[in-house]
Amino acid sequence: MTCAVLSIGTELTRGELVNTNASWLSAALTDLGFEVIEQAVVDDEKERIVATVERLSRLVPVIVCTGGLGPTTDDLTTVAVASALGVGLERDEASLELIRRRLEKFGRTMSDSNAKQADFPAGAAILANPIGTAPGFGVTLNGTRAFFMPGVPREMKRMYEEQVVPRIRDLAQKVSHQIHFRTFGLPESVVGERLAGVEEAFPGVTIGYRAHFPEIEVKVLARAALGADKKSTEDAARDLAERAAAEVKTRLADVIYGDGDDTFAGVVGRALRTRGLTLAIAESCTGGLVGHMLTKEPGASDYLLLDAVTYANSAKQTVLGVDEEVLRGHGAVSPEVACRMAEGARRVAGSDVALSITGVAGPTGGTDAKPVGLVYLAVATAKGTVVKERRFPGERFNIQTLAAYVGLAMVRDAANEGR
Amino acid sequence: MTCAVLSIGTELTRGELVNTNASWLSAALTDLGFEVIEQAVVDDEKERIVATVERLSRLVPVIVCTGGLGPTTDDLTTVAVASALGVGLERDEASLELIRRRLEKFGRTMSDSNAKQADFPAGAAILANPIGTAPGFGVTLNGTRAFFMPGVPREMKRMYEEQVVPRIRDLAQKVSHQIHFRTFGLPESVVGERLAGVEEAFPGVTIGYRAHFPEIEVKVLARAALGADKKSTEDAARDLAERAAAEVKTRLADVIYGDGDDTFAGVVGRALRTRGLTLAIAESCTGGLVGHMLTKEPGASDYLLLDAVTYANSAKQTVLGVDEEVLRGHGAVSPEVACRMAEGARRVAGSDVALSITGVAGPTGGTDAKPVGLVYLAVATAKGTVVKERRFPGERFNIQTLAAYVGLAMVRDAANEGR
């Protein structure tokens, strides 16, 4: 069943506040089996609220709304909904008493503007707010169930769970199950081409993509129509999602690095940790990004000994022992220096594995022979040193990020292959 | 003049993504003098995109839209807009050539799905995308100017600034002038208290805040109603903004670090560069974040010699020469070790200034004596070494970020004071 999420507030339409309520509610409604087809945000203008509630009530059978229930003059949701229904406001004495008591608990007395929060469109069902002054309410407009909640996230979330979910759960009619994969190594268009035909092969499945440079997240969403037995429908949705996900996994085997909750650095760290391997890094053009990615996550101290960001040539010599002649003869951006950096980091730190990255991140410093984007990456282990040359496209940000990912992938592969 | 922001994408209506594009665009349009009366979000369903574009075109004279321009099958914005206009798609050879070249630069060949991104509704004005494959486009529908841009935030922001603003600026009917300040060192509520009364003292001025942990951006927006003479209105708005900004600057003198386009790392780099000073860093709990912040910006090679991320105690000894007895006697998180790290980094790299950071970033590793959040930071120069103890609140992310900022502030101050 479809539904819509409505958010009311000029602080939203002016962009002063990011609308996290809409995404939270949309995720919760999707989980419940609803298809959210629209999120609407309008400013604190009574006529626009009336028009939008009217319009949505003709579009979807369920509307979940937040905002505009506060005590100030710009809080107009209740009067707007009464106007859309063509009814008056009625004061609810029980709610008034609860508001009075709540204010007293905070050492305050009730004002007219507080009392206004006990007014509801005639006939509305009142939704209790145990952790704030503004109760919510539910009405039926043009056959649509519409629920109005405060905009304060924690009050809204609790009211949704306790008051709204029990009233709409049985309307969802569909049950969905979603499986996520995280990939690195292919652009979105190629990932999409690899998965051509999967939706057709598994009716009820939708494939979604989300780009987070340089990663592409792939989402497999399966929906099943609600049968007599909710449990068996849930099983059917999960089974469908799992079958489609297995196909996706086969087609993207070389680029999927983990599931929904994994991070690339986390997966690399896990590969090292499970094998009891230690790591040293020598960065140049990535300037500390690899170390930052690994140490953003807790637990890097299990394996990371050293990240020597040897930005100047002098530091490459002093800290990593790279020979001055090698630097002069081949230049800092060369396979030779990459190898010496990795070997030097491994020796200095006494680690099992060492990664080095040296390149031209730009925007300046490129030459015909060594253009912006040219990067050398080396991994040194007890079995020897391997070096890769890559030419990364894009701007400084892209080059640094891609270099860090490719370097981390080399570390992961070395750990997994026991190299 | 009113306008609306439209976002297209099932990842939004499913709540998988928080709609930061809508708030960013709304803030930018508000700054430009527009009144954003609605934000709409619809899923990747052609008929719903058509209906929403139609509806908004009858509501507002300007629509700014993001999303659905990608290469995959769920990207339907272009066909939907063509359908709303009642026109066909036309392939733009110039765009096709740019896409081809961009893909070649990345070592890829063009597929049908990439080529699709060169298709536009007949008669559309093409909006260049210098940093991505999907160009945007602008059309006029029912007299409304509508602009369609990719959903990738950095591509969208650049296209909006370079392509959309010049096309809509004159429609705003209000002239506004905005001055931004970037601050670090106070929470948003305290920044707000410091600026109490500024709006009242300068009628026509709105103060806005945007939190980007750990920074607070302060926006001074002055508006003047468009008179007969646009030039004099612009002058009036600028003059008002400048007078209010001077007051803001006085009240926040101790925490403003720069203007709209500055970054904190950029300001630190500038302080070193203008004095011809070189820098070495020794990081522990920040794991490379300081180096990453400095080298994300071009030009760090002017001053940065070395960032030794000595995560393991053994690396603190080998690379920085920190005495084993000092480490054993005081522990790695101690003022003594912070000083030895900074002095070691300065000696090894031969730099003018050296910064060290050692602490407990958590979530584990804290003790009663050295709890999570305890960080020591030291700066060594020819004049000696100063060390600071700080206790940062929050989670790992907050602690690492605050430590990096405080460390960079110490380097800036040392450079500016000629220490």
Side-chain angles (χ1 to χ4, degrees):
Chain A
M1 179 167 275
T2 61
C3 72
V5 172
L6 171 62
S7 313
I8 295 170
T10 303
E11 70 278 20
L12 293 166
T13 55
R14 281 203 194 130
E16 291 160 7
L17 207 63
V18 175
N19 195 356
T20 54
N21 277 354
S23 52
W24 188 90
L25 278 171
S26 296
L29 288 160
T30 301
D31 285 353
L32 210 58
F34 283 92
E35 186 185 0
V36 183
I37 63 168
E38 181 172 338
Q39 294 169 355
V41 183
V42 293
D43 56 356
D44 296 308
E45 278 288 326
K46 187 183 156 199
E47 289 316 314
R48 276 198 279 275
I49 302 172
V50 174
T52 305
V53 170
E54 257 290 332
R55 178 176 68 79
L56 293 176
S57 76
R58 298 185 189 281
L59 185 71
V60 290
V62 171
I63 304 171
V64 180
C65 174
T66 58
L69 298 183
T72 50
T73 49
D74 60 357
D75 290 303
L76 298 164
T77 301
T78 307
V79 287
V81 174
S83 170
L85 287 163
V87 303
L89 293 180
E90 280 179 3
R91 183 150 293 187
D92 180 65
E93 291 302 327
S95 296
L96 194 67
E97 186 51 31
L98 285 173
I99 293 170
R100 190 196 317 275
R101 269 193 240 151
R102 189 170 170 83
L103 289 167
E104 270 168 13
K105 230 175 84 182
F106 286 76
R108 294 163 47 199
T109 53
M110 182 143 65
S111 64
D112 285 353
S113 57
N114 293 127
K116 173 184 133 187
Q117 295 184 295
D119 292 343
F120 301 94
I126 293 159
L127 311 177
N129 182 353
I131 53 175
T133 52
F137 61 90
V139 301
T140 302
L141 175 66
N142 300 319
T144 288
R145 308 285 303 271
F147 301 92
F148 298 85
M149 302 187 288
V152 181
R154 49 190 284 276
E155 298 177 23
M156 178 281 285
K157 289 176 186 177
R158 179 143 170 196
M159 192 178 288
Y160 172 80
E161 298 287 4
E162 292 180 359
Q163 303 282 334
V164 178
V165 171
R167 288 172 163 91
I168 62 173
R169 192 196 299 274
D170 291 340
L171 297 175
Q173 288 178 333
K174 279 215 174 185
V175 170
S176 67
H177 189 88
Q178 185 156 263
I179 297 173
H180 295 240
F181 293 110
R182 294 182 180 271
T183 78
F184 163 64
L186 287 177
E188 186 175 350
S189 60
V190 180
V191 173
E193 284 159 26
R194 286 243 197 129
L195 299 184
V198 173
E199 290 183 348
E200 291 73 11
F202 297 91
V205 165
T206 313
I207 308 281
Y209 305 91
R210 182 157 141 195
H212 251 306
F213 185 83
E215 301 190 19
I216 308 292
E217 190 182 351
V218 177
K219 299 166 292 179
V220 181
L221 178 71
R223 290 161 186 274
L226 192 60
D229 174 6
K230 178 138 190 187
K231 173 75 174 62
S232 68
T233 318
E234 284 170 355
D235 290 346
R238 186 172 41 247
D239 178 62
L240 178 59
E242 283 171 355
R243 283 184 294 122
E247 175 67 23
V248 166
K249 211 166 173 173
T250 306
R251 296 195 189 191
L252 296 176
D254 53 335
V255 292
I256 287 175
Y257 74 75
D259 296 336
D261 294 332
D262 285 327
T263 66
F264 196 62
V267 166
V268 177
R270 203 158 64 209
L272 292 163
R273 193 181 289 115
T274 54
R275 284 161 190 82
L277 298 172
T278 54
L279 176 69
I281 311 167
E283 299 187 57
S284 189
C285 63
T286 44
L289 176 58
V290 178
H292 170 55
M293 285 172 70
L294 290 173
T295 58
K296 220 164 44 170
E297 326 252 328
S301 52
D302 293 350
Y303 59 86
L304 181 63
L305 303 182
L306 169 70
D307 176 13
V309 183
T310 49
Y311 219 57
N313 279 354
S314 57
K316 293 180 182 74
Q317 294 174 233
T318 327
V319 177
L320 301 173
V322 178
D323 221 42
E324 193 181 349
E325 276 170 35
V326 177
L327 275 164
R328 244 203 323 253
H330 300 276
V333 179
S334 62
E336 290 81 4
V337 168
C339 289
R340 296 301 162 279
M341 285 172 68
E343 289 157 5
R346 185 167 176 270
R347 187 182 58 245
V348 170
S351 66
D352 299 305
V353 181
L355 165 71
S356 73
I357 303 181
T358 178
V360 189
T364 58
T367 62
D368 282 351
K370 296 184 177 177
V372 170
L374 177 69
V375 177
Y376 292 94
L377 308 101
V379 166
T381 66
K383 298 194 179 164
T385 306
V386 291
V387 63
K388 269 192 188 179
E389 176 187 302
R390 296 293 294 263
R391 282 160 201 266
F392 296 116
E395 302 184 331
R396 186 174 179 87
F397 164 81
N398 306 74
I399 294 165
Q400 289 182 325
T401 308
L402 286 168
Y405 267 77
V406 170
L408 286 172
M410 289 171 71
V411 170
R412 176 198 57 187
D413 295 345
N416 287 342
E417 292 157 14
R419 210 167 57 213
Chain B
M1 179 166 275
T2 59
C3 72
V5 172
L6 170 61
S7 314
I8 296 170
T10 303
E11 69 276 22
L12 293 165
T13 55
R14 280 194 199 141
E16 291 159 10
L17 206 62
V18 175
N19 196 355
T20 53
N21 277 354
S23 51
W24 189 91
L25 278 172
S26 297
L29 288 159
T30 302
D31 287 355
L32 209 58
F34 283 92
E35 186 186 0
V36 183
I37 63 168
E38 180 172 338
Q39 294 169 355
V41 183
V42 293
D43 57 356
D44 297 307
E45 276 289 326
K46 187 183 154 199
E47 288 317 313
R48 277 197 279 278
I49 302 172
V50 174
T52 305
V53 171
E54 258 288 331
R55 178 176 69 77
L56 293 176
S57 75
R58 298 185 189 282
L59 185 70
V60 290
V62 172
I63 305 171
V64 180
C65 175
T66 58
L69 298 184
T72 48
T73 49
D74 59 357
D75 291 302
L76 298 165
T77 301
T78 308
V79 286
V81 175
S83 169
L85 288 163
V87 301
L89 293 179
E90 279 178 4
R91 183 150 294 185
D92 179 65
E93 291 302 326
S95 298
L96 193 67
E97 186 51 33
L98 285 172
I99 294 171
R100 190 196 316 275
R101 268 192 241 150
R102 191 171 171 82
L103 290 168
E104 268 167 15
K105 230 175 90 181
F106 283 68
R108 292 163 48 201
T109 52
M110 182 143 64
S111 65
D112 285 352
S113 56
N114 292 127
K116 172 183 138 193
Q117 295 183 297
D119 292 342
F120 302 95
I126 294 160
L127 310 177
N129 182 353
I131 53 174
T133 50
F137 61 92
V139 300
T140 302
L141 175 66
N142 300 319
T144 288
R145 307 285 303 268
F147 300 91
F148 297 85
M149 302 186 288
V152 180
R154 46 192 286 280
E155 298 178 21
M156 179 281 285
K157 289 175 187 177
R158 181 143 168 198
M159 191 178 290
Y160 172 79
E161 299 286 5
E162 292 180 358
Q163 303 281 337
V164 178
V165 170
R167 288 172 163 91
I168 62 173
R169 192 197 299 275
D170 290 342
L171 297 173
Q173 287 178 338
K174 279 217 173 182
V175 171
S176 65
H177 190 89
Q178 183 154 266
I179 297 175
H180 295 240
F181 293 110
R182 295 183 178 270
T183 78
F184 163 65
L186 287 176
E188 187 171 349
S189 60
V190 179
V191 173
E193 284 161 26
R194 286 245 197 125
L195 299 184
V198 173
E199 290 184 349
E200 291 73 11
F202 297 90
V205 165
T206 312
I207 307 280
Y209 305 92
R210 196 183 274 194
H212 257 302
F213 185 82
E215 301 190 19
I216 308 293
E217 188 181 356
V218 177
K219 297 172 290 179
V220 180
L221 177 71
R223 290 163 185 271
L226 192 59
D229 174 6
K230 178 137 191 190
K231 173 76 175 61
S232 69
T233 319
E234 283 171 354
D235 289 346
R238 185 172 41 247
D239 177 63
L240 178 59
E242 282 171 358
R243 282 184 295 121
E247 175 68 23
V248 167
K249 209 165 176 175
T250 307
R251 296 192 188 193
L252 296 176
D254 53 334
V255 293
I256 287 176
Y257 74 75
D259 297 337
D261 293 332
D262 286 327
T263 66
F264 196 61
V267 166
V268 176
R270 202 158 64 210
L272 291 164
R273 193 181 289 116
T274 54
R275 283 161 191 83
L277 298 172
T278 55
L279 175 69
I281 311 166
E283 299 188 57
S284 189
C285 63
T286 44
L289 176 57
V290 178
H292 170 56
M293 286 172 70
L294 291 173
T295 58
K296 220 165 42 172
E297 325 253 330
S301 52
D302 293 350
Y303 58 84
L304 181 62
L305 303 181
L306 168 72
D307 176 15
V309 183
T310 50
Y311 220 58
N313 279 354
S314 58
K316 292 180 182 75
Q317 294 173 234
T318 326
V319 177
L320 301 173
V322 178
D323 220 43
E324 192 180 350
E325 276 171 33
V326 177
L327 275 164
R328 244 205 322 256
H330 300 277
V333 179
S334 62
E336 291 80 4
V337 168
C339 290
R340 297 301 164 277
M341 284 172 67
E343 288 157 4
R346 185 168 175 271
R347 188 182 57 246
V348 170
S351 65
D352 299 306
V353 182
L355 164 71
S356 72
I357 303 181
T358 178
V360 189
T364 59
T367 63
D368 282 351
K370 295 183 179 178
V372 169
L374 177 67
V375 177
Y376 292 94
L377 307 101
V379 165
T381 66
K383 299 195 179 164
T385 306
V386 293
V387 63
K388 271 191 186 178
E389 176 186 302
R390 296 292 295 265
R391 282 157 200 269
F392 296 116
E395 301 185 332
R396 185 174 180 86
F397 164 81
N398 307 75
I399 294 165
Q400 290 182 323
T401 307
L402 287 167
Y405 267 77
V406 169
L408 285 172
M410 290 170 71
V411 169
R412 175 197 58 187
D413 296 346
N416 287 341
E417 293 158 13
R419 211 166 58 216

